[in-house]
Amino acid sequence: SMMPAHASDLATMRHELFEERRAIESISHRERIRILQEAEDCIQAATNFREYRACERQESKARKALRARLQPRLRAFRAKMRTYRILHREAGRHPSSLPDER
C-alpha cells in the first residue's frame, strides 16, 4: 500500500487543484462572453431569417469548439481530483497526516 501523504503535500495538492479549476472556469466564462457578444453582433447585423440562422449556427459551432478545447484540461483536472480524494482517504486512516482544512 502507499505511504500516507503528508498534510503539507495534500494541502499543496488541494490548493493547486483549486487554482486549476478556477483557471478553467475563468477561461470558460471569458470565452462564452466572447461567443455571446459575437452572436449578438451577428444577429443585430442580420437582415433576414437566413442570415439570422447563420448567426445561430456560428454560435453553436463556437460553443462546441470551446467545449472540445477545454475537454482535455477538464479531464486531466478530474483525474487529479480522483487521485487527491484517494490520497485524502488514505491519510484519513492515519489522522496525523490529514491537512488542516480551515
Side-chain angles (χ1 to χ4, degrees), residues 5-24:
H6 285 94
S8 61
D9 296 337
L10 283 171
T12 299
M13 197 174 178
R14 186 181 180 80
H15 184 70
E16 284 169 0
L17 280 162
F18 165 71
E19 292 285 336
E20 173 65 4
R21 189 65 186 88
R22 188 171 63 179
I24 294 167

Side-chain angles (χ1 to χ4, degrees), residues 10 82-94 98:
L10 283 171
R82 281 191 297 274
T83 302
Y84 169 81
R85 289 199 182 109
I86 291 164
L87 292 171
H88 192 270
R89 205 160 42 238
E90 285 290 314
R93 300 196 182 102
H94 312 271
L98 267 177

Side-chain angles (χ1 to χ4, degrees), residues 13-86:
M13 197 174 178
R14 186 181 180 80
H15 184 70
E16 284 169 0
L17 280 162
F18 165 71
E19 292 285 336
E20 173 65 4
R21 189 65 186 88
R22 188 171 63 179
I24 294 167
E25 196 60 21
S26 189
I27 292 166
S28 176
H29 285 162
R30 286 195 307 270
E31 288 298 298
R32 283 183 293 163
I33 289 166
R34 184 185 57 75
I35 290 166
L36 281 170
Q37 191 59 64
E38 285 175 6
E40 178 61 15
D41 294 346
C42 185
I43 287 168
Q44 290 305 319
T47 58
N48 57 49
F49 277 109
R50 185 180 53 77
E51 291 173 2
Y52 166 80
R53 282 193 300 269
C55 294
E56 293 286 278
R57 269 196 309 278
Q58 185 51 47
E59 180 183 356
S60 178
K61 255 168 56 180
R63 284 178 183 279
K64 203 171 169 182
L66 174 59
R67 269 198 307 276
R69 215 179 89 210
L70 290 177
Q71 194 99 62
R73 203 164 163 180
L74 261 173
R75 255 201 285 275
F77 167 81
R78 289 188 191 116
K80 280 183 211 146
M81 189 55 122
R82 281 191 297 274
T83 302
Y84 169 81
R85 289 199 182 109
I86 291 164

